[in-house]
Protein backbone atom coordinates (compact mmCIF):
# COMPACT_ATOMS: atom_id res chain seq x y z
CA UNK A 1 0.00 0.00 0.00
CA UNK A 2 1.41 3.38 -1.02
CA UNK A 3 1.35 6.07 1.62
CA UNK A 4 -1.19 8.82 0.95
CA UNK A 5 -0.48 12.50 1.44
CA UNK A 6 -1.24 14.15 4.77
CA UNK A 7 -4.94 14.94 5.06
CA UNK A 8 -5.69 13.10 1.84
CA UNK A 9 -9.01 11.30 1.55
CA UNK A 10 -7.35 8.03 0.57
CA UNK A 11 -4.96 6.23 2.90
CA UNK A 12 -3.22 4.33 0.14
CA UNK A 13 -3.43 2.34 -3.06
CA UNK A 14 -4.57 -1.24 -3.17
CA UNK A 15 -2.65 -3.72 -5.28
CA UNK A 16 -5.80 -4.22 -7.33
CA UNK A 17 -6.15 -0.49 -8.08
CA UNK A 18 -2.47 -0.29 -8.99
CA UNK A 19 -2.84 -3.19 -11.38
CA UNK A 20 -5.99 -1.69 -12.89
CA UNK A 21 -4.31 1.67 -13.50
CA UNK A 22 -1.42 0.05 -15.37
CA UNK A 23 -3.53 -1.62 -18.01
CA UNK A 24 -5.63 -0.61 -21.00
CA UNK A 25 -3.67 2.40 -22.28
CA UNK A 26 -3.22 3.13 -25.98
CA UNK A 27 0.14 3.89 -27.56
CA UNK A 28 0.10 7.67 -28.10
CA UNK A 29 3.62 8.13 -29.45
CA UNK A 30 3.50 10.85 -32.10
CA UNK A 31 5.33 10.18 -35.35
CA UNK A 32 3.96 13.17 -37.25
CA UNK A 33 5.91 15.90 -35.45
CA UNK A 34 8.01 18.30 -37.52
CA UNK A 35 11.13 20.18 -36.41
CA UNK A 36 10.29 23.49 -34.75
CA UNK A 37 10.84 26.64 -36.83
CA UNK A 38 13.20 27.85 -34.15
CA UNK A 39 15.39 24.71 -34.15
CA UNK A 40 18.00 25.79 -36.73
CA UNK A 41 18.28 29.23 -35.14
CA UNK A 42 18.77 27.67 -31.69
CA UNK A 43 21.49 25.44 -33.16
CA UNK A 44 23.38 28.50 -34.42
CA UNK A 45 23.04 30.13 -31.00
CA UNK A 46 24.56 27.03 -29.39
CA UNK A 47 27.46 27.23 -31.83
CA UNK A 48 28.07 30.84 -30.83
CA UNK A 49 27.97 29.88 -27.15
CA UNK A 50 30.32 26.94 -27.76
CA UNK A 51 32.90 29.24 -29.35
CA UNK A 52 33.08 31.31 -26.15
CA UNK A 53 34.01 28.39 -23.87
CA UNK A 54 36.29 25.86 -25.60
CA UNK A 55 37.25 22.88 -23.45
CA UNK A 56 34.57 23.51 -20.82
CA UNK A 57 31.30 21.79 -20.02
CA UNK A 58 28.31 24.13 -19.91
CA UNK A 59 25.11 23.34 -18.00
CA UNK A 60 22.02 25.49 -18.58
CA UNK A 61 18.97 24.39 -16.51
CA UNK A 62 15.37 25.18 -17.40
CA UNK A 63 14.25 25.49 -13.78
CA UNK A 64 11.68 23.90 -11.51
CA UNK A 65 8.12 24.52 -10.41
CA UNK A 66 7.73 27.15 -7.69
CA UNK A 67 5.14 26.85 -4.94
CA UNK A 68 2.48 29.54 -4.81
CA UNK A 69 0.53 28.14 -1.88
CA UNK A 70 0.92 24.73 -0.25
CA UNK A 71 0.78 22.32 -3.20
CA UNK A 72 -0.39 24.90 -5.76
CA UNK A 73 2.38 26.10 -8.06
CA UNK A 74 2.89 29.18 -10.18
CA UNK A 75 2.58 28.70 -13.95
CA UNK A 76 6.00 27.45 -15.01
CA UNK A 77 8.25 29.91 -16.88
CA UNK A 78 11.60 28.41 -17.95
CA UNK A 79 14.92 30.20 -17.58
CA UNK A 80 15.34 32.57 -20.51
CA UNK A 81 18.83 31.41 -21.48
CA UNK A 82 17.59 27.83 -21.71
CA UNK A 83 14.71 28.83 -24.00
CA UNK A 84 17.02 30.86 -26.23
CA UNK A 85 19.48 28.00 -26.64
CA UNK A 86 16.93 25.22 -27.17
CA UNK A 87 13.47 26.53 -28.08
CA UNK A 88 12.15 24.23 -25.33
CA UNK A 89 9.91 25.29 -22.46
CA UNK A 90 9.75 22.17 -20.28
CA UNK A 91 10.47 22.07 -16.54
CA UNK A 92 13.22 20.16 -14.74
CA UNK A 93 15.45 20.00 -17.82
CA UNK A 94 18.99 21.05 -18.68
CA UNK A 95 21.01 21.71 -21.80
CA UNK A 96 24.53 20.29 -21.50
CA UNK A 97 27.36 21.17 -23.86
CA UNK A 98 30.15 18.61 -23.54
CA UNK A 99 33.56 19.77 -24.79
CA UNK A 100 35.28 17.97 -27.68
CA UNK A 101 39.00 17.70 -28.35
CA UNK A 102 38.69 20.05 -31.33
CA UNK A 103 37.43 22.89 -29.10
CA UNK A 104 33.77 22.52 -30.03
CA UNK A 105 30.96 20.92 -28.08
CA UNK A 106 28.40 18.14 -28.36
CA UNK A 107 25.01 19.35 -27.18
CA UNK A 108 22.49 17.13 -25.43
CA UNK A 109 19.19 18.01 -23.85
CA UNK A 110 18.31 16.27 -20.61
CA UNK A 111 14.53 16.27 -20.33
CA UNK A 112 11.84 14.69 -18.21
CA UNK A 113 10.46 11.84 -20.34
CA UNK A 114 6.92 10.58 -20.33
CA UNK A 115 5.80 8.68 -17.25
CA UNK A 116 5.70 4.97 -18.01
CA UNK A 117 2.40 3.17 -17.57
CA UNK A 118 4.14 0.23 -15.89
CA UNK A 119 4.45 2.06 -12.55
CA UNK A 120 2.14 4.29 -10.52
CA UNK A 121 4.27 7.39 -11.24
CA UNK A 122 2.10 8.56 -14.12
CA UNK A 123 -1.01 9.06 -11.99
CA UNK A 124 0.13 9.66 -8.41
CA UNK A 125 1.00 13.16 -7.22
CA UNK A 126 0.21 16.61 -8.59
CA UNK A 127 3.23 16.67 -10.93
CA UNK A 128 2.36 13.29 -12.49
CA UNK A 129 1.55 13.27 -16.18
CA UNK A 130 -2.10 12.34 -15.66
CA UNK A 131 -2.48 15.44 -13.47
CA UNK A 132 -0.27 17.93 -15.31
CA UNK A 133 -0.77 16.87 -18.93
CA UNK A 134 1.09 14.83 -21.49
CA UNK A 135 4.81 15.41 -21.95
CA UNK A 136 6.79 14.67 -25.08
CA UNK A 137 8.72 11.43 -25.27
CA UNK A 138 12.50 11.59 -25.73
CA UNK A 139 12.11 10.66 -29.40
CA UNK A 140 9.44 13.33 -29.90
CA UNK A 141 11.63 15.98 -28.27
CA UNK A 142 14.56 15.04 -30.48
CA UNK A 143 12.39 15.37 -33.57
CA UNK A 144 11.00 18.78 -32.55
CA UNK A 145 14.13 20.37 -31.08
CA UNK A 146 16.77 18.90 -33.37
CA UNK A 147 19.27 17.69 -30.79
CA UNK A 148 19.87 14.48 -28.81
CA UNK A 149 17.58 14.10 -25.79
CA UNK A 150 18.28 12.02 -22.69
CA UNK A 151 16.47 11.19 -19.49
CA UNK A 152 17.16 14.01 -17.03
CA UNK A 153 17.11 11.49 -14.17
CA UNK A 154 20.54 10.30 -15.37
CA UNK A 155 22.04 13.79 -15.48
CA UNK A 156 23.56 13.88 -12.00
CA UNK A 157 25.25 10.53 -12.61
CA UNK A 158 26.56 11.68 -16.00
CA UNK A 159 27.95 14.91 -14.54
CA UNK A 160 29.56 13.11 -11.63
CA UNK A 161 31.19 10.60 -13.98
CA UNK A 162 32.89 13.51 -15.76
CA UNK A 163 33.82 15.42 -12.63
CA UNK A 164 37.30 16.18 -13.98
CA UNK A 165 35.87 18.27 -16.85
CA UNK A 166 35.92 22.04 -16.14
CA UNK A 167 32.25 22.93 -15.71
CA UNK A 168 30.13 26.04 -15.62
CA UNK A 169 26.46 26.17 -14.63
CA UNK A 170 23.91 28.97 -14.57
CA UNK A 171 23.25 29.48 -10.88
CA UNK A 172 19.98 30.24 -9.13
CA UNK A 173 17.84 28.18 -11.51
CA UNK A 174 18.02 24.58 -10.25
CA UNK A 175 19.50 24.25 -6.73
CA UNK A 176 19.61 20.43 -6.80
CA UNK A 177 21.54 20.43 -10.05
CA UNK A 178 23.94 23.07 -8.73
CA UNK A 179 24.71 20.84 -5.77
CA UNK A 180 25.62 17.98 -8.11
CA UNK A 181 28.48 19.80 -9.87
CA UNK A 182 31.67 21.43 -8.70
CA UNK A 183 32.17 24.84 -10.25
CA UNK A 184 33.61 28.27 -9.53
CA UNK A 185 30.87 30.82 -8.85
CA UNK A 186 32.76 33.71 -10.48
CA UNK A 187 33.28 31.67 -13.64
CA UNK A 188 29.62 30.67 -13.59
CA UNK A 189 28.71 34.36 -13.68
CA UNK A 190 30.64 34.64 -16.94
CA UNK A 191 28.35 32.02 -18.49
CA UNK A 192 25.24 33.97 -17.61
CA UNK A 193 26.81 37.16 -18.97
CA UNK A 194 27.56 35.51 -22.31
CA UNK A 195 24.05 34.06 -22.53
CA UNK A 196 22.73 37.62 -22.13
CA UNK A 197 25.29 39.02 -24.60
CA UNK A 198 24.13 36.55 -27.25
CA UNK A 199 20.56 37.84 -27.01
CA UNK A 200 21.47 41.48 -27.70
CA UNK A 201 21.12 41.10 -31.47
CA UNK A 202 17.97 39.27 -32.52
CA UNK A 203 17.97 36.92 -35.49
CA UNK A 204 15.37 36.98 -38.25
CA UNK A 205 13.13 34.46 -36.53
CA UNK A 206 13.19 36.39 -33.25
CA UNK A 207 12.26 39.64 -34.99
CA UNK A 208 9.24 37.87 -36.44
CA UNK A 209 8.19 36.85 -32.94
CA UNK A 210 8.66 40.41 -31.70
CA UNK A 211 6.35 41.66 -34.44
CA UNK A 212 3.71 39.10 -33.42
CA UNK A 213 3.97 40.22 -29.80
CA UNK A 214 3.61 43.90 -30.66
CA UNK A 215 0.76 43.36 -33.12
CA UNK A 216 -1.23 41.47 -30.47
CA UNK A 217 -0.41 44.18 -27.96
CA UNK A 218 -1.80 46.87 -30.29
CA UNK A 219 -5.06 44.92 -30.46
CA UNK A 220 -5.03 44.62 -26.68
CA UNK A 221 -4.83 48.41 -26.33
CA UNK A 222 -7.79 48.79 -28.68
CA UNK A 223 -9.70 46.31 -26.52
CA UNK A 224 -8.93 48.34 -23.40
CA UNK A 225 -10.22 51.57 -24.90
CA UNK A 226 -13.29 49.82 -26.28
CA UNK A 227 -14.19 48.68 -22.76
CA UNK A 228 -13.20 51.85 -20.93
CA UNK A 229 -16.78 52.59 -19.90
CA UNK A 230 -16.90 49.25 -18.07
CA UNK A 231 -13.69 50.16 -16.26
CA UNK A 232 -15.26 53.46 -15.20
CA UNK A 233 -18.14 51.45 -13.77
CA UNK A 234 -15.81 49.05 -11.94
CA UNK A 235 -12.06 49.65 -11.54
CA UNK A 236 -8.60 49.36 -13.09
CA UNK A 237 -9.04 45.59 -12.83
CA UNK A 238 -11.37 45.68 -15.83
CA UNK A 239 -8.57 47.13 -17.98
CA UNK A 240 -6.10 44.56 -16.68
CA UNK A 241 -8.52 41.70 -17.34
CA UNK A 242 -9.43 42.98 -20.78
CA UNK A 243 -5.80 43.09 -21.90
CA UNK A 244 -5.10 39.72 -20.28
CA UNK A 245 -7.85 38.13 -22.36
CA UNK A 246 -6.14 39.28 -25.56
CA UNK A 247 -2.78 38.01 -24.31
CA UNK A 248 -4.15 34.57 -23.54
CA UNK A 249 -6.16 34.33 -26.75
CA UNK A 250 -3.29 35.23 -29.08
CA UNK A 251 -0.21 34.40 -27.05
CA UNK A 252 1.05 32.56 -24.01
CA UNK A 253 0.46 35.18 -21.34
CA UNK A 254 1.23 38.79 -20.53
CA UNK A 255 4.96 39.41 -20.67
CA UNK A 256 4.94 41.10 -17.24
CA UNK A 257 2.44 42.37 -14.72
CA UNK A 258 0.12 44.79 -16.51
CA UNK A 259 0.17 48.36 -15.19
CA UNK A 260 -3.35 49.79 -15.49
CA UNK A 261 -2.82 52.97 -13.49
CA UNK A 262 -5.58 55.56 -13.33
CA UNK A 263 -5.41 58.95 -11.65
CA UNK A 264 -2.59 59.37 -9.17
CA UNK A 265 -1.64 55.68 -9.55
CA UNK A 266 -0.04 56.72 -12.86
CA UNK A 267 2.75 58.32 -10.83
CA UNK A 268 3.74 54.90 -9.42
CA UNK A 269 6.24 53.29 -11.79
CA UNK A 270 5.32 49.68 -11.05
CA UNK A 271 1.68 49.93 -10.05
CA UNK A 272 0.29 46.42 -10.58
CA UNK A 273 -2.38 46.22 -7.87
CA UNK A 274 -4.80 47.70 -10.42
CA UNK A 275 -7.59 48.01 -7.87
CA UNK A 276 -8.27 51.73 -8.04
CA UNK A 277 -11.13 53.73 -9.57
CA UNK A 278 -11.15 54.89 -13.20
CA UNK A 279 -12.56 58.42 -13.17
CA UNK A 280 -13.38 60.75 -16.09
CA UNK A 281 -11.20 63.83 -16.06
CA UNK A 282 -8.12 61.85 -14.99
CA UNK A 283 -5.51 59.94 -16.97
CA UNK A 284 -5.06 56.21 -17.47
CA UNK A 285 -1.49 54.99 -17.92
CA UNK A 286 -1.58 51.54 -19.51
CA UNK A 287 1.76 49.69 -19.69
CA UNK A 288 1.24 46.20 -21.08
CA UNK A 289 2.68 43.60 -23.42
CA UNK A 290 1.57 40.31 -24.94
CA UNK A 291 3.99 37.39 -24.66
CA UNK A 292 3.96 35.05 -27.68
CA UNK A 293 3.77 31.27 -27.45
CA UNK A 294 7.56 31.30 -27.92
CA UNK A 295 7.85 33.66 -24.89
CA UNK A 296 8.96 36.84 -26.69
CA UNK A 297 7.21 39.89 -25.26
CA UNK A 298 6.18 43.38 -26.27
CA UNK A 299 6.33 46.31 -23.83
CA UNK A 300 4.20 49.31 -24.78
CA UNK A 301 2.77 52.24 -22.83
CA UNK A 302 0.13 54.80 -23.70
CA UNK A 303 -1.35 57.45 -21.44
CA UNK A 304 -5.01 58.13 -22.17
CA UNK A 305 -7.48 60.83 -21.05
CA UNK A 306 -10.30 58.83 -19.51
CA UNK A 307 -12.92 61.36 -20.58
CA UNK A 308 -11.56 61.32 -24.15
CA UNK A 309 -9.83 64.71 -24.11
CA UNK A 310 -6.84 66.09 -22.22
CA UNK A 311 -7.17 69.00 -19.84
CA UNK A 312 -4.82 71.92 -20.46
CA UNK A 313 -2.31 70.82 -17.81
CA UNK A 314 -2.52 67.16 -18.85
CA UNK A 315 -1.81 68.12 -22.46
CA UNK A 316 1.14 70.28 -21.41
CA UNK A 317 2.71 67.33 -19.61
CA UNK A 318 1.81 64.90 -22.38
CA UNK A 319 3.28 67.08 -25.12
CA UNK A 320 6.54 67.42 -23.20
CA UNK A 321 6.82 63.65 -22.83
CA UNK A 322 5.95 63.18 -26.52
CA UNK A 323 8.69 65.61 -27.59
CA UNK A 324 11.16 63.94 -25.25
CA UNK A 325 10.29 60.55 -26.71
CA UNK A 326 10.67 61.89 -30.24
CA UNK A 327 14.13 63.15 -29.34
CA UNK A 328 14.95 59.68 -28.05
CA UNK A 329 13.54 57.94 -31.12
CA UNK A 330 15.62 60.15 -33.39
CA UNK A 331 18.78 58.98 -31.59
CA UNK A 332 18.16 55.26 -32.24
CA UNK A 333 20.32 54.20 -35.19
CA UNK A 334 23.22 51.86 -35.86
CA UNK A 335 26.56 53.13 -34.61
CA UNK A 336 24.98 55.40 -32.00
CA UNK A 337 25.90 54.88 -28.39
CA UNK A 338 23.24 52.93 -26.52
CA UNK A 339 22.95 55.81 -24.04
CA UNK A 340 22.22 58.42 -26.72
CA UNK A 341 18.43 57.99 -26.75
CA UNK A 342 18.33 58.20 -22.96
CA UNK A 343 20.46 61.33 -22.90
CA UNK A 344 18.37 63.02 -25.61
CA UNK A 345 15.08 62.37 -23.80
CA UNK A 346 16.35 63.29 -20.36
CA UNK A 347 18.00 66.51 -21.53
CA UNK A 348 14.76 67.62 -23.15
CA UNK A 349 12.76 66.92 -19.99
CA UNK A 350 15.35 68.73 -17.88
CA UNK A 351 14.88 71.78 -20.11
CA UNK A 352 11.10 71.66 -19.70
CA UNK A 353 11.31 71.26 -15.93
CA UNK A 354 13.64 74.28 -15.72
CA UNK A 355 11.31 76.24 -18.02
CA UNK A 356 8.36 75.44 -15.77
CA UNK A 357 10.35 76.47 -12.70
CA UNK A 358 10.23 73.04 -11.01
CA UNK A 359 14.02 72.59 -10.86
CA UNK A 360 16.85 75.11 -10.78
CA UNK A 361 18.66 75.78 -14.05
CA UNK A 362 20.45 76.21 -16.27
CA UNK A 363 19.22 73.04 -17.97
CA UNK A 364 22.70 71.63 -18.66
CA UNK A 365 23.60 71.92 -14.99
CA UNK A 366 20.27 70.40 -13.93
CA UNK A 367 20.84 67.44 -16.24
CA UNK A 368 24.43 66.88 -15.12
CA UNK A 369 23.26 66.84 -11.50
CA UNK A 370 20.34 64.57 -12.36
CA UNK A 371 17.80 66.99 -10.89
CA UNK A 372 15.19 65.99 -13.47
CA UNK A 373 15.09 62.52 -11.94
CA UNK A 374 12.78 63.75 -9.17
CA UNK A 375 10.11 63.80 -11.89
CA UNK A 376 11.42 61.33 -14.53
CA UNK A 377 12.46 58.67 -12.02
CA UNK A 378 13.60 55.85 -14.34
CA UNK A 379 15.91 55.38 -17.28
CA UNK A 380 14.45 55.94 -20.72
CA UNK A 381 14.41 52.38 -22.01
CA UNK A 382 15.90 48.90 -22.07
CA UNK A 383 16.56 45.91 -24.28
CA UNK A 384 13.52 43.77 -25.07
CA UNK A 385 13.01 40.15 -26.10
CA UNK A 386 12.45 36.94 -24.18
CA UNK A 387 12.58 39.01 -20.99
CA UNK A 388 10.82 42.33 -20.73
CA UNK A 389 14.15 43.68 -19.45
CA UNK A 390 16.14 41.47 -21.76
CA UNK A 391 19.88 40.82 -21.62
CA UNK A 392 19.94 42.16 -18.06
CA UNK A 393 23.14 40.26 -17.19
CA UNK A 394 25.06 41.29 -20.31
CA UNK A 395 28.40 42.96 -19.81
CA UNK A 396 28.20 46.75 -19.47
CA UNK A 397 30.56 47.27 -22.39
CA UNK A 398 28.23 45.26 -24.63
CA UNK A 399 24.97 46.81 -23.35
CA UNK A 400 24.64 50.10 -21.53
CA UNK A 401 28.12 51.31 -22.56
CA UNK A 402 27.90 49.68 -25.97
CA UNK A 403 26.87 50.70 -29.49
CA UNK A 404 23.59 50.01 -31.23
CA UNK A 405 23.62 47.38 -33.99
CA UNK A 406 21.00 46.27 -36.51
CA UNK A 407 18.79 43.60 -34.94
CA UNK A 408 18.80 45.06 -31.44
CA UNK A 409 15.31 45.60 -30.00
CA UNK A 410 14.75 48.21 -27.32
CA UNK A 411 12.11 50.41 -25.73
CA UNK A 412 12.09 54.20 -25.64
CA UNK A 413 9.85 55.30 -22.75
CA UNK A 414 10.36 58.70 -21.14
CA UNK A 415 7.88 59.83 -18.55
CA UNK A 416 6.99 62.60 -16.11
CA UNK A 417 5.51 61.80 -12.72
CA UNK A 418 4.21 64.48 -10.37
CA UNK A 419 3.46 62.82 -7.05
CA UNK A 420 0.16 63.71 -5.35
CA UNK A 421 2.02 64.95 -2.25
CA UNK A 422 4.73 66.93 -4.07
CA UNK A 423 4.55 70.48 -2.75
CA UNK A 424 7.21 71.72 -5.20
CA UNK A 425 4.72 71.81 -8.08
CA UNK A 426 1.36 73.60 -8.41
CA UNK A 427 -1.61 71.71 -7.03
CA UNK A 428 -3.19 71.15 -10.46
CA UNK A 429 -0.04 69.23 -11.58
CA UNK A 430 -0.03 66.86 -8.63
CA UNK A 431 -1.13 63.30 -9.32
CA UNK A 432 -0.39 63.50 -13.06
CA UNK A 433 1.75 60.72 -14.52
CA UNK A 434 2.51 60.37 -18.23
CA UNK A 435 4.62 57.77 -20.03
CA UNK A 436 4.81 56.98 -23.75
CA UNK A 437 6.65 53.80 -24.72
CA UNK A 438 7.36 52.16 -28.05
CA UNK A 439 9.31 49.08 -29.16
CA UNK A 440 12.03 49.69 -31.74
CA UNK A 441 14.27 47.43 -33.78
CA UNK A 442 17.54 48.93 -34.99
CA UNK A 443 17.86 48.65 -38.78
CA UNK A 444 20.74 49.17 -41.22
CA UNK A 445 19.73 52.79 -41.81
CA UNK A 446 17.94 53.78 -38.61
CA UNK A 447 15.14 52.03 -36.80
CA UNK A 448 11.66 50.57 -37.23
CA UNK A 449 9.00 51.41 -34.66
CA UNK A 450 7.25 48.08 -34.21
CA UNK A 451 4.43 49.69 -32.22
CA UNK A 452 3.78 52.53 -34.66
CA UNK A 453 0.24 51.18 -35.05
CA UNK A 454 -0.68 52.98 -31.83
CA UNK A 455 -1.22 56.78 -31.95
CA UNK A 456 1.31 58.94 -30.10
CA UNK A 457 0.47 62.66 -30.35
CA UNK A 458 -2.19 64.14 -28.08
CA UNK A 459 -4.49 64.90 -31.02
CA UNK A 460 -4.05 61.38 -32.41
CA UNK A 461 -4.78 59.83 -29.01
CA UNK A 462 -8.00 61.84 -28.63
CA UNK A 463 -9.11 60.87 -32.14
CA UNK A 464 -8.23 57.21 -31.43
CA UNK A 465 -10.33 57.22 -28.30
CA UNK A 466 -13.27 58.89 -30.01
CA UNK A 467 -13.07 56.39 -32.86
CA UNK A 468 -12.61 53.30 -30.67
CA UNK A 469 -14.62 54.05 -27.54
CA UNK A 470 -17.42 55.76 -29.42
Amino acid sequence: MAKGRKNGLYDGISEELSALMRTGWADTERHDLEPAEQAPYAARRREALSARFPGERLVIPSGNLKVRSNDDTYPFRPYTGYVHMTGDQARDCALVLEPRADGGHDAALYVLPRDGRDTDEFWIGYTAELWMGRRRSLAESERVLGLPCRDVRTLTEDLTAGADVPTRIVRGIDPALEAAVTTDEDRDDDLEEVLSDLRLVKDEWELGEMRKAVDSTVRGFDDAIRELSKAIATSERWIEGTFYRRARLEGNHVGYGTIAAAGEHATIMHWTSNDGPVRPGELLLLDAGVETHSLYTADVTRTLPISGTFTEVQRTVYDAVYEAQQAGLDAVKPGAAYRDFHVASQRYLAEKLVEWGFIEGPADRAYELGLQRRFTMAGTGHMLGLDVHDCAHARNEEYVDGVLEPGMVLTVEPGLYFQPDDLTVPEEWRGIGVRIEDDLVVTADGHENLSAGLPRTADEVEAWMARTAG
Side-chain angles (χ1 to χ4, degrees):
M1 297 283 288
K3 183 180 179 182
R5 73 177 185 181
K6 186 177 178 63
N7 293 317
L9 292 175
Y10 295 106
D11 294 331
I13 302 166
S14 68
E15 292 182 4
E16 291 79 5
L17 173 59
S18 179
L20 175 64
M21 291 299 295
R22 299 184 197 195
T23 60
W25 301 102
D27 179 7
T28 60
E29 181 75 10
R30 295 192 59 185
H31 302 282
D32 60 340
L33 296 174
E34 298 291 333
E37 279 186 13
Q38 191 176 0
Y41 295 94
R44 287 196 283 273
R45 297 168 201 157
R46 292 193 295 273
E47 290 174 3
L49 178 64
S50 170
R52 300 288 191 98
F53 299 101
E56 299 183 72
R57 174 196 284 142
L58 308 177
V59 182
I60 305 169
S62 70
N64 319 120
L65 292 170
K66 292 181 171 59
V67 174
R68 180 181 184 273
S69 174
N70 190 29
D71 57 0
D72 179 40
T73 60
Y74 288 102
F76 178 67
R77 180 42 159 88
Y79 167 59
T80 297
Y82 173 85
V83 176
H84 190 239
M85 287 291 145
T86 66
D88 186 44
Q89 298 181 28
R91 62 181 173 89
D92 301 321
C93 303
L95 172 67
V96 178
L97 272 61
E98 285 286 351
R100 297 193 306 261
D102 64 4
H105 289 80
D106 292 320
L109 198 62
Y110 286 80
V111 300
L112 196 60
R114 299 201 64 202
D115 287 335
R117 297 307 196 253
D118 56 345
T119 74
D120 293 326
E121 289 181 358
F122 81 98
W123 71 281
I124 292 178
Y126 70 93
T127 61
E129 201 171 29
L130 201 62
W131 290 75
M132 298 286 283
R134 186 187 188 279
R135 296 193 290 269
R136 285 195 300 246
S137 69
L138 295 181
E140 289 171 347
S141 290
E142 286 190 354
R143 209 170 296 127
V144 171
L145 301 173
L147 73 167
C149 292
R150 300 170 185 165
D151 189 334
V152 73
R153 290 170 295 190
T154 70
L155 178 53
T156 298
E157 181 181 345
D158 290 352
L159 293 177
T160 304
D164 57 334
V165 180
T167 300
R168 297 177 191 255
I169 187 172
V170 180
R171 291 181 172 269
I173 309 300
D174 189 326
L177 193 54
E178 277 182 45
V181 296
T182 301
T183 64
D184 179 275
E185 191 166 344
D186 290 336
R187 295 171 68 252
D188 289 343
D189 290 343
D190 292 341
L191 173 57
E192 188 164 23
E193 284 183 347
V194 170
L195 287 167
S196 274
D197 288 351
L198 292 175
R199 294 202 309 277
L200 285 166
V201 176
K202 271 59 179 176
D203 57 40
E204 180 183 4
W205 184 87
E206 291 180 286
L207 293 178
E209 292 301 295
M210 294 302 303
R211 288 189 173 88
K212 290 179 188 176
V214 173
D215 289 347
S216 289
T217 298
V218 168
R219 289 188 284 273
F221 273 73
D222 278 336
D223 295 340
I225 291 179
R226 198 171 291 115
E227 300 207 5
L228 192 56
S229 62
K230 294 181 179 178
I232 292 171
T234 53
S235 74
E236 298 163 339
R237 291 278 169 90
W238 194 275
I239 299 296
E240 178 186 3
T242 299
F243 188 87
Y244 178 76
R245 182 176 65 240
R246 177 66 65 176
R248 289 292 281 165
L249 281 171
E250 297 191 3
N252 176 60
H253 212 280
V254 291
Y256 53 95
T258 296
I259 298 170
E264 65 184 42
H265 290 160
T267 66
I268 301 172
M269 291 294 299
H270 292 158
W271 174 258
T272 55
S273 295
N274 300 332
D275 58 358
V278 177
R279 293 183 286 244
E282 297 182 335
L283 298 176
L284 170 69
L285 188 157
L286 178 57
D287 185 336
V290 172
E291 177 185 80
T292 65
H293 293 293
S294 60
L295 307 188
Y296 288 80
T297 186
D299 180 10
V300 177
T301 306
R302 288 296 184 268
T303 305
L304 311 169
I306 296 168
S307 61
T309 56
F310 293 98
T311 67
E312 182 179 351
V313 174
Q314 289 169 351
R315 182 179 277 264
T316 296
V317 177
Y318 189 95
D319 287 346
V321 173
Y322 169 81
E323 293 295 342
Q325 193 204 27
Q326 189 59 55
L329 297 178
D330 292 342
V332 175
K333 52 192 172 184
Y338 172 81
R339 292 180 183 271
D340 284 355
F341 75 91
H342 166 74
V343 172
S345 291
Q346 292 291 309
R347 280 190 177 279
Y348 183 86
L349 292 177
E351 291 172 3
K352 296 304 292 185
L353 290 162
V354 169
E355 176 187 321
W356 294 332
F358 297 164
I359 58 176
E360 184 179 348
D364 284 346
R365 172 185 175 276
Y367 172 77
E368 294 302 325
L369 294 175
L371 302 185
Q372 83 284 353
R373 293 177 61 185
R374 178 182 176 100
F375 306 103
T376 65
M377 294 179 63
T380 313
H382 51 81
M383 292 295 182
L384 183 66
L386 279 167
D387 287 339
V388 65
H389 292 161
D390 205 21
C391 315
H393 295 280
R395 292 169 295 168
N396 284 354
E397 58 267 31
E398 296 293 326
Y399 186 168
V400 70
D401 295 326
V403 173
L404 295 179
E405 300 177 38
M408 289 182 169
V409 180
L410 64 150
T411 69
V412 178
E413 51 173 313
L416 284 173
Y417 312 94
F418 299 102
Q419 302 302 322
D421 57 348
D422 189 343
L423 300 181
T424 69
V425 299
E427 184 175 359
E428 62 269 25
W429 292 64
R430 299 172 198 164
I432 293 177
V434 174
R435 179 163 67 253
I436 310 171
E437 177 181 20
D438 285 279
D439 301 344
L440 277 63
V441 56
V442 182
T443 62
D445 56 359
H447 68 262
E448 175 189 354
N449 185 349
L450 299 178
S451 46
L454 290 178
R456 286 199 305 126
T457 70
D459 287 343
E460 290 171 346
V461 167
E462 289 179 347
W464 174 34
M465 296 191 67
R467 180 174 65 251
T468 305

